[in-house]
Amino acid sequence: MTRKIIIDTDPGQDDAVAILLALASPELEVLGIATVAGNVPLELTSRNARIVCELAGRADMPVHAGCDRPMARDLVTAEHVHGKTGLDGAELPDPTMPLAEGHAVDFIVETLRREEAGTVTLCPLGPLTNIATALERAPDIAERIERIVLMGGAYFEVGNVTPAAEFNIYVDPEAARAVFASGAPITVLPLDATHKALTTRARNAAFRAAGRIGEIVAGWTGFFERFDKEKYGSEGAPLHDPLVIAWLLRPDLFTGREVNVEIEVDSPLTRGMTVADWWGVTDRPANALFVGDVDADGFFGLLTERLSRL
Ligand code: BDR
Ligand code: CA
């Protein structure tokens, strides 16, 4: 049986790879893609999502543009990591497929109300603005969501955009707070997991050997690696967002704990911090499966094999 998913995303090279992995995987039925402002402004994330669908031969995929700014703050973007377009690293033509009609938030609400309850998984790969806005507008959808599997946050690895916060949660902490309070089952792929899934020379070479799409992916990773290599002194960069899709395909590659996660929204110093009770030192009830580790070779093997199918 296939699992129905909606990908909510701000591409971003790693978002793009996540979308390709999902579209290459017969276990998943992508019902549509919702775009959000994050790595780059909404106009570009909406453009990039369509470029990726066309690359995968899926010009039929509904791509809905969503929120162009966080719920209560100014937008913070990450061109210093992802480049001016968000997809720097490969020369690709502008998309010809149009955006689907209707706002992404309406698409999320309508899809969850239309499909049988408990059968649609949301996969947020960027700031949680669309998801939280949908929950605010239509609180009835919370109990219809099968699971929210998101990339965001950190515990031991703490922050990548500030010393305390990971980018997706930092950009829209109010949205993140609403999502973690929603009562929907949640899986979190935080920096603790993604920083164990680093690109390397050998892994990039394997992408290149996987065919035309693999070469484009290697172009993207080659571009955004430069930032993390310099920052962390590592051989490559964490390929964050595809871990969300990989968790759906091969949860056996991951380990984690059911913990309580609260989001800091008030402190200017620690805005967007995911306060994860990893050691169970409070009696706050668990609200998320917080992933701490991944079999990196297993993940890259899966990803490379799937890219070769496109
Ligand atoms: C997250 O932020 C973005 O830059 C990436 O696309 C990923 O979703 C990592 O902190
Ligand atoms: Ca992202």
Side-chain angles (χ1 to χ4, degrees), residues 131-207:
I131 310 294
T133 307
L135 285 163
E136 185 181 74
R137 209 175 282 171
D140 59 290
I141 62 171
E143 57 182 36
R144 303 185 68 82
I145 299 169
E146 180 177 8
R147 181 166 282 271
I148 299 173
V149 185
L150 68 93
M151 190 280 132
Y155 180 53
F156 294 109
E157 282 280 340
V158 281
N160 61 357
V161 62
T162 73
E166 179 281 329
F167 179 79
N168 291 339
I169 308 295
Y170 176 81
V171 172
D172 198 343
E174 283 77 15
R177 178 176 58 181
V179 168
F180 280 91
S182 70
I186 298 177
T187 298
V188 186
L189 281 301
L191 296 181
D192 305 270
T194 69
H195 279 213
K196 294 186 178 107
L198 299 183
T199 57
T200 62
R201 234 166 276 128
R203 288 168 179 162
N204 286 335
F207 288 151

Side-chain angles (χ1 to χ4, degrees), residues 203-217:
R203 288 168 179 162
N204 286 335
F207 288 151
R208 256 181 252 113
R212 189 180 73 93
I213 301 292
E215 283 199 30
I216 291 167
V217 167

Side-chain angles (χ1 to χ4, degrees), residues 43-130:
E43 202 178 318
L44 283 171
T45 61
S46 302
R47 168 186 177 270
N48 294 345
R50 286 177 291 149
I51 288 177
V52 176
C53 290
E54 288 186 2
L55 265 184
R58 292 298 307 273
D60 60 310
M61 179 61 58
V63 176
H64 294 266
C67 298
D68 65 357
R69 72 194 71 168
M71 294 179 99
R73 301 175 188 254
D74 291 338
L75 177 64
V76 177
T77 53
E79 285 87 355
H80 58 294
V81 182
H82 298 273
K84 229 171 99 187
T85 67
L87 272 191
D88 284 23
E91 283 295 313
L92 296 167
D94 278 333
T96 55
M97 64 186 275
L99 279 171
E101 269 178 40
H103 194 283
V105 169
D106 295 327
F107 167 70
I108 292 168
V109 171
E110 282 160 20
T111 305
L112 284 163
R113 284 180 175 164
R114 184 189 64 230
E115 298 288 334
E116 195 185 326
T119 64
V120 177
T121 294
L122 303 180
C123 299
L125 311 176
L128 291 158
T129 320
N130 287 339

Side-chain angles (χ1 to χ4, degrees), residues 166-299:
E166 179 281 329
F167 179 79
N168 291 339
I169 308 295
Y170 176 81
V171 172
D172 198 343
E174 283 77 15
R177 178 176 58 181
V179 168
F180 280 91
S182 70
I186 298 177
T187 298
V188 186
L189 281 301
L191 296 181
D192 305 270
T194 69
H195 279 213
K196 294 186 178 107
L198 299 183
T199 57
T200 62
R201 234 166 276 128
R203 288 168 179 162
N204 286 335
F207 288 151
R208 256 181 252 113
R212 189 180 73 93
I213 301 292
E215 283 199 30
I216 291 167
V217 167
W220 287 334
T221 56
F223 177 83
F224 82 76
E225 266 176 7
R226 85 215 176 286
F227 177 80
D228 285 316
K229 277 167 147 171
E230 201 174 303
K231 181 168 161 196
Y232 300 112
S234 51
E235 186 187 341
L239 201 48
H240 306 281
D241 293 338
L243 289 192
V244 164
I245 306 300
W247 186 85
L248 293 174
L249 299 171
R250 290 282 310 276
D252 57 300
L253 295 175
F254 299 83
T255 53
R257 286 188 192 182
E258 297 281 348
V259 299
N260 176 271
V261 181
E262 305 288 334
I263 309 296
E264 176 58 53
V265 294
D266 294 322
S267 157
L269 188 63
T270 56
R271 154 185 172 181
M273 187 171 189
T274 41
V275 182
D277 188 6
W278 187 259
W279 299 112
V281 294
T282 72
D283 53 12
R284 295 195 286 262
N287 58 356
L289 170 63
F290 207 76
V291 175
D293 206 356
V294 55
D295 168 354
D297 285 332
F299 161 67

